[in-house]
Every structure is written in C-alpha cells, then in structure tokens.
Amino acid sequence: MKIAVLPGDGIGTEIVAEAVKVLEVLDLKFEMESALVGGAAYEAHGHPLPESTLKLAKEADAVLFGAVGDWKYDKLDRPLRPEQAILGLRKNLGLFANFRPAICYEQLVGASSLKPELIAGLDILIIRELTGDIYFGQPRGRRTAVDGHFPGADEAFDTMRYSRPEIERIARVAFEAARKRGKKVTSVDKANVLETFQFWKDVVTEVHKDYQDVELEHMYVDNAAMQLVKKPKAFDVIVTGNMFGDILSDEASMLTGSIGMLPSASLNSSNQGLYEPSHGSAPDIAGKGVANPLATILSAAMMLRFSLNQEEAAQRIENAVKNVLAQGLRTPDIYSEGTTKVGTAQMGDAVVKALSAQ
Ligand code: IPM
Ligand code: MG
C-alpha cells in the first residue's frame, strides 16, 4: 500500500505533518511518499500540479492532501493558480464522490454559533458530486456578446451540465451511504429554474426505485441553505451537485463549531481516494503553529477506512481524537474558557499519546 502525501501551501504543511506522525505510530505496513503541490509546486516547478506529483498520486492507493492556495497567486493565469492542482487531481483520478461529514462533537457544542439544542448530536453527511457541473462544463470562457442585455459587450460564461451516468452513480453512492445510517437522502437541486437540475431530480428519482428502503426528499438549494441553520438535525444524507455542494458543505461545517474539525474523502469507482481537511490553506495563520490538525488527522482515519481497508485503525484514530477533546485540549479555533489552549504540534502529539495509551 502506498500513500502519496501532498501537504501543499499555508497551514497544509503543518497539519499534514501531524497526520503523518499519527499514521507512523500505528505501525501499519504502508509506504508514504511526499511531493509538492499548489503554490509550493508552482514556486519549485512552475506548475501547481507537476507531472511527477500527478504520477505519484495516480500510482498511490490514497492521497493525503493538506490545502492549497494563497492570495499572492490570485493574479496568475488561471491554469497556474494553486486551486488548479486540486481540480486537476479530482479530474485525473476521477474522484467523483466527495464525502463531507458534519459531525458535532459533544465537547464542542458550545463552539457553534447556533444554539446548543439545535446542533447537539448533529451528524450529517454531505455527498457532493465532484467532477461535473459548472466546475468542469465546457464551453467556458470570455467573448463578445452577440445577444443578451448588452450585445457587443465583453462577457464571460461557464456551462452547467450533468449527464445521466454522472447523476446515477452519485445517487447510488448516496443511497448506499444512507442505508448504513439514517436511511434518508435529501437531494438538493434548483429544478424550479435550471434544466440541469430538473434532469438531476428526475434521474435521482429513477435511481431511488432500487432503494425503496431509503426515504428520498427533494429540496431546492435556497431552502436547503435555510433549513441547514433552522433545523439541521432533520438532515441525514444530502446529495447534490458540485457547485451547490461546495457552498452547502462550508455552511454545514460551521454548524459544528469549527471547520478545523471536519475531514473529507473524495473517491473514484475503484475506491482510490484523496483525503483532505474540509478547510483551506488559511494563509493568515500559516507558520504560526496554531492551526487545528484534527480535520487532517480525521481525514487520515477516513483514508484507512475507505481506501486502505483498515477499519480498526480508523476507529483507533477517531477514539484518540475524542480522547484529547475529553482531556480539554483545544486549538484556538475551538477554544473556550475552562479548556486548555494548545498549538498544532501539541495537539498532534496528544493524539499520538492517546493512541499509544489505548
Ligand atoms: C473545496 C474548495 C475547492 C472547491 C477550491 C479550492 C477549488 O473550495 O474543496 O470546497 O471549490 O471545490
Ligand atoms: Mg469549498
């Protein structure tokens, strides 16, 4: 088994270092190999996703990814910006199924901006389609408008599109996942306005015929954004397209108190996966040793579960994380009075210690 370790930019290097520490102490038989990605790769090789990095990722059973991006690259041509690295990995590895759990840990109920009773016990799974939609749809670009409100003016355009097989396979992933949990899927669309999402709704409804033991509800994305803060515990599995999933998963993450706690998995049809925290590179706190490594450590647990077939080791990590939270250790993003503030490395060390003590 081989893991490609791609720390990336900003806090990416700090948090991935802690996850690697945790993986090493498990003493499992796998090889880890690191490579540059994002802005770091652009600096060294002139490209955010160099051939060598892509090759390593393709050959590995799983990719452990930190984060990419920094404001200083915002002026680069789009193909050279750090974000293209993650989009390129998703596309080249066919990582169409993105799992973004939003779980509220008992000890962190007070860290959410919502009332504790609304989020205590929250356990939502957002399944975001990751290789289609307006993110990848062609054509896209800039041109001179020939029609619309201002013919002759400069304009820009992207294309929202989904094919039947793309919708079918992500719907199946969602129904299968729901079967193992609360048996309810909310399919989020904008069928009242968009052709793409009327089609989405129709196809999800057809696939549902094979999963009659799972409840299916349809919800417009604007309403879903509202229901997520109004009554978040009414959701079990949410399945949606790439763009809506991007937005709703950030919203859902904040329900739990901190985006610094949330892992994610992006899988292809052979269970090869890329595992990354749900948060970004946070250049504002990079290098300060204060970032929360738990989302990345929990992503490593998801990696063991989904791609490396090590369920027991995955649970050991998850229990160790609960253990350090119970000890009252908190990075600044989840700190509250009466708890102990620690930095990135101290948090990683505490997880390692909790693992060793199991
Ligand atoms: C995410 C991020 C990415 C996305 C960016 C960095 C391209 O926001 O993983 O949610 O939009 O998918
Ligand atoms: Mg996002």
Side-chain angles (χ1 to χ4, degrees), residues 103-282:
I103 294 171
C104 184
Y105 287 85
E106 204 185 305
Q107 293 91 353
L108 301 182
V109 169
S112 173
S113 45
L114 293 197
K115 296 192 191 92
E117 61 269 28
L118 282 181
I119 46 110
L122 182 82
D123 182 356
I124 304 178
L125 175 60
I126 297 194
I127 297 186
R128 167 186 176 195
E129 200 292 328
L130 205 57
T131 51
D133 204 354
I134 197 164
Y135 266 61
F136 292 96
Q138 294 290 343
R140 58 186 280 163
R142 293 191 185 205
R143 64 186 171 195
T144 302
V146 293
D147 51 17
H149 295 298
F150 293 98
D154 291 347
E155 69 172 9
F157 63 104
D158 298 275
T159 303
M160 178 176 274
R161 58 191 287 184
Y162 264 122
S163 64
R164 179 182 292 277
E166 283 178 293
I167 305 170
E168 279 176 356
R169 66 181 180 178
I170 196 72
R172 286 193 192 281
V173 168
F175 288 124
E176 298 283 346
R179 253 185 191 160
K180 296 187 199 138
R181 345 177 346 127
K183 297 199 164 43
K184 180 176 168 189
V185 169
T186 305
S187 171
V188 172
D189 63 56
K190 190 70 187 172
N192 50 346
V193 179
L194 301 171
E195 208 54 53
T196 312
F197 275 91
Q198 179 62 57
F199 185 55
W200 172 283
K201 186 174 178 177
D202 295 346
V203 175
V204 172
T205 305
E206 281 167 37
V207 174
H208 180 232
K209 291 192 185 121
D210 293 341
Y211 299 89
Q212 289 297 310
D213 53 321
V214 177
E215 183 194 340
L216 170 64
E217 92 182 327
H218 301 279
M219 196 178 280
Y220 297 142
V221 63
D222 48 351
N223 186 26
M226 185 172 78
Q227 297 302 329
L228 268 174
V229 285
K230 188 176 172 209
K231 215 180 157 201
K233 281 190 267 184
F235 292 103
D236 176 28
V237 173
I238 294 177
V239 65
T240 190
N242 205 345
M243 176 82 152
F244 299 155
D246 178 45
I247 300 166
L248 293 181
S249 62
D250 263 31
E251 188 190 2
S253 71
M254 259 302 132
L255 303 173
T256 68
S258 174
I259 197 168
M261 292 298 299
L262 297 179
S264 81
S266 306
L267 297 174
N268 66 18
S269 40
S270 41
N271 283 341
Q272 188 188 22
L274 181 146
Y275 299 82
E276 59 175 328
S278 279
H279 59 72
S281 53

Side-chain angles (χ1 to χ4, degrees), residues 1 25 86 143 150 154 242 280 286 324 351 354-355:
M1 291 288 193
V25 81
I86 186 69
R143 64 186 171 195
F150 293 98
D154 291 347
N242 205 345
V324 300
V351 175
L355 269 174

Side-chain angles (χ1 to χ4, degrees), residues 15 18-19 22 263 293-302 317 321 347-348 351:
I15 54 183
E18 300 312 310
V22 168
L294 294 179
T296 315
I297 291 171
L298 290 165
S299 299
M302 284 183 104
I317 294 181
V321 167
M347 189 58 115
V351 175

Side-chain angles (χ1 to χ4, degrees), residues 6-10 35-50 53-54 65-70 72-73 76 79-89 281:
L6 311 182
D9 307 321
L36 295 176
V37 75
Y42 172 75
E43 302 281 354
H45 305 290
H47 196 279
L49 183 58
T53 301
L54 181 58
F65 192 91
V68 290
D70 190 304
K72 68 182 180 210
Y73 304 115
L76 289 176
L80 296 178
R81 290 193 205 164
E83 290 77 10
Q84 292 305 310
I86 186 69
L87 295 172
L89 284 165
S281 53

